[in-house]
Amino acid sequence: MNIGIVCYPTYGGSGVVATELGKGMALRGHKVHFITYRQPTRLNAYQQNVFYHEVGVKDYPLFEYAPYDTALASKLVDVVKHEKLDILHVHYAIPHAAVAYMAKQILKSQDIEIPVVTTLHGTDITLVGNHPAFAPVVEFSINNSDGVTAVSHSLKEDTLHSFKINKEIEVIHNFIDLSRFKKTNKDHFKKAIAPDGEKVLSHVSNFRKVKRVQDVIHVFNKVLQKIPSKLLMIGDGPERQSCELLCREHKICSHVRFLGKQDAIEELLAVSDLFVMPSESESFGLAALEAMACEVPVISSNTGGIPELNIHNQTGFLAKVGDVDTMADFAIKILQDADMHQTFRKRAFEQAEKFDLQQILPKYEAYYLSLMETVPK
Ligand code: GMT
């Protein structure tokens, strides 16, 4: 197949999923064309069958907001025609699903038919998508996609609840490359981070409000009162500074490392004993899956799609959003009991195996083929 992928090229989960999916498809022999305004973060090396088309937006003094949507639609028309794409897969509904609809109509007027798949990732439905500024366009473009997938059952339910949807939504969960995310021996590195054998807790996110990063600090502060430990805060974003201030207030700065955006997340997870994800809303929680693949149990909130991944009292523990006391109690319980910790590590890995990229790729492949059959040649 000749597959076109549209996504945000940044560190966000939707861009990571889109890029890893495309790379996986390319390894299976498909030609994959990424179409976006910047080289996606995880598309950082040459790979056979992978192509990248940059969308340039022409500037003009009249434009207060450069019309990216129009430039993307034009680029899609160009790439579909000249690379003879069989299918377009757009990740994150805003604005990609609407732009793909526009491109599809232009191509139709030139007797070119192409099926469009929209994958819903989370905030495109929950926090942002259902805002009146976007909702009518999101609803229309979901209903007018040839195929729609959601990354969890919870997100599918949220979509059906927030919009009038007349399309079947297929749930295809987020996935993980187990050849990259696995427990490796990084004892020397662990010694540098936790020289006196302290436990290592970690958190990875884009530090947006929805991640409730301050809760991570509150949980850690309580854990630290009982167990010698260190906290790795990985990623960056608007709430980082307030977290740093909170560490100063609690006088725990020497135990917390803010590492900023990191590429080799798996090396940091390899030295972690516990992962903390207290999000306000989370359609799936890819970062928790990455931790679990590295045998790190998860303390999380019980929101959105997280319970489809983190199984309470098996792979970690779940608590209500904002209930930092319970989260801290669970963290202390697991870190104080070596046998329990070991069992949870093993189960976290076994659960992660259910989301193996190699099992998810054929699902997307079959889905693409089923849609291609419905489109007139
Ligand atoms: O919240 C993020 O980290 C970014 C966001 C995105 O769309 O880029 O992530 C969403 O998509 C991920 C991949 O499908 C999911 O694993 C995340 O749970 C989801 N985030 C939210 O729902 C808040």
Side-chain angles (χ1 to χ4, degrees), residues 225-238:
Q225 286 165 23
K226 293 268 175 37
I227 301 173
S229 40
K230 300 283 177 192
L231 173 64
L232 303 180
M233 294 292 277
I234 305 154
D236 212 339

Side-chain angles (χ1 to χ4, degrees), residues 12-14 17 92 121-123 151 174 206 208 210-211 281-286:
S14 63
V17 167
Y92 206 88
H121 279 275
T123 50
V151 300
N174 280 177
N206 47 31
R208 290 195 213 129
V210 67
K211 302 292 176 183
S281 129
E282 198 72 62
S283 68
F284 180 86
L286 183 61

Side-chain angles (χ1 to χ4, degrees), residues 59-348:
D59 204 6
Y60 187 67
L62 186 67
F63 300 150
E64 188 161 341
Y65 305 101
Y68 175 65
D69 300 18
T70 306
L72 176 60
S74 299
K75 193 69 171 182
L76 290 182
V77 169
D78 182 72
V79 177
V80 170
K81 271 165 79 172
H82 296 287
E83 303 292 348
K84 306 208 173 346
L85 298 192
D86 298 306
I87 192 147
L88 257 185
H89 188 171
V90 304
H91 292 258
Y92 206 88
I94 309 167
H96 300 143
V99 171
Y101 175 78
M102 164 74 104
K104 187 179 161 91
Q105 297 314 309
I106 296 170
L107 288 159
K108 203 182 208 137
S109 73
Q110 300 173 21
D111 292 326
I112 298 169
E113 293 283 351
I114 182 147
V116 170
V117 183
T118 298
T119 289
L120 309 172
H121 279 275
T123 50
D124 46 352
I125 295 300
T126 54
L127 279 183
V128 190
N130 60 18
H131 188 275
F134 302 114
V137 174
V138 170
E139 183 174 278
F140 177 86
S141 43
I142 290 175
N143 283 330
N144 285 279
S145 296
D146 297 283
V148 183
T149 74
V151 300
S152 65
H153 293 285
S154 156
L155 183 60
K156 175 176 175 175
E157 290 313 311
D158 283 345
T159 310
L160 297 176
H161 185 254
S162 301
F163 301 99
K164 282 201 190 79
I165 299 298
N166 56 31
K167 267 257 126 57
E168 186 52 43
I169 300 178
E170 180 95 2
V171 173
I172 305 183
H173 282 117
N174 280 177
F175 50 79
I176 186 86
D177 179 356
L178 292 169
S179 67
R180 173 178 168 191
F181 287 90
K182 59 184 175 199
K183 176 112 182 99
T184 47
N185 187 341
K186 295 274 174 228
D187 281 353
H188 58 291
F189 184 31
K190 184 145 189 169
K191 196 111 194 89
I193 289 172
D196 297 316
E198 296 93 335
K199 298 293 180 193
V200 177
L201 287 77
S202 59
H203 170 81
V204 181
S205 78
N206 47 31
F207 286 56
R208 290 195 213 129
K209 260 209 153 33
V210 67
K211 302 292 176 183
R212 293 188 69 99
V213 267
Q214 292 81 356
D215 285 3
V216 180
I217 307 294
H218 288 306
V219 170
F220 177 70
N221 186 40
K222 285 175 184 292
V223 171
L224 188 58
Q225 286 165 23
K226 293 268 175 37
I227 301 173
S229 40
K230 300 283 177 192
L231 173 64
L232 303 180
M233 294 292 277
I234 305 154
D236 212 339
E239 298 299 310
R240 173 174 168 168
Q241 203 182 355
S242 112
C243 282
E244 292 193 44
L245 291 177
L246 205 53
C247 289
R248 282 180 214 161
E249 269 171 38
H250 288 310
K251 302 194 175 24
I252 56 173
C253 296
S254 59
H255 303 287
V256 184
R257 293 280 296 273
F258 287 87
L259 297 171
K261 290 177 185 164
Q262 295 282 327
D263 284 330
I265 302 277
E266 65 277 20
E267 297 194 1
L268 296 162
L269 292 171
V271 300
S272 299
D273 294 297
L274 208 53
F275 188 81
V276 186
M277 176 178 266
S279 306
E280 178 89 38
S281 129
E282 198 72 62
S283 68
F284 180 86
L286 183 61
L289 175 57
E290 292 179 343
M292 288 162 70
C294 297
E295 300 179 27
V296 184
V298 174
I299 302 291
S300 69
S301 57
N302 59 5
T303 189
I306 301 180
E308 293 171 44
L309 170 68
N310 186 22
I311 310 301
H312 185 67
N313 207 10
Q314 297 280 325
T315 62
F317 287 103
L318 295 97
K320 283 194 195 128
V321 172
D323 188 352
V324 290
D325 290 338
T326 304
M327 288 182 200
D329 288 346
F330 282 141
I332 292 164
K333 182 173 159 144
I334 194 169
L335 291 174
Q336 278 181 337
D337 183 336
D339 288 343
M340 178 191 243
H341 193 204
Q342 204 44 45
T343 309
F344 274 52
R345 274 189 182 280
K346 188 169 160 281
R347 289 206 210 110

Side-chain angles (χ1 to χ4, degrees), residues 176 178 289 293 348-357 359:
I176 186 86
L178 292 169
L289 175 57
F349 174 70
E350 286 165 0
Q351 174 72 350
E353 280 185 308
K354 296 182 187 157
F355 300 90
D356 182 357
L357 168 70
Q359 290 187 38

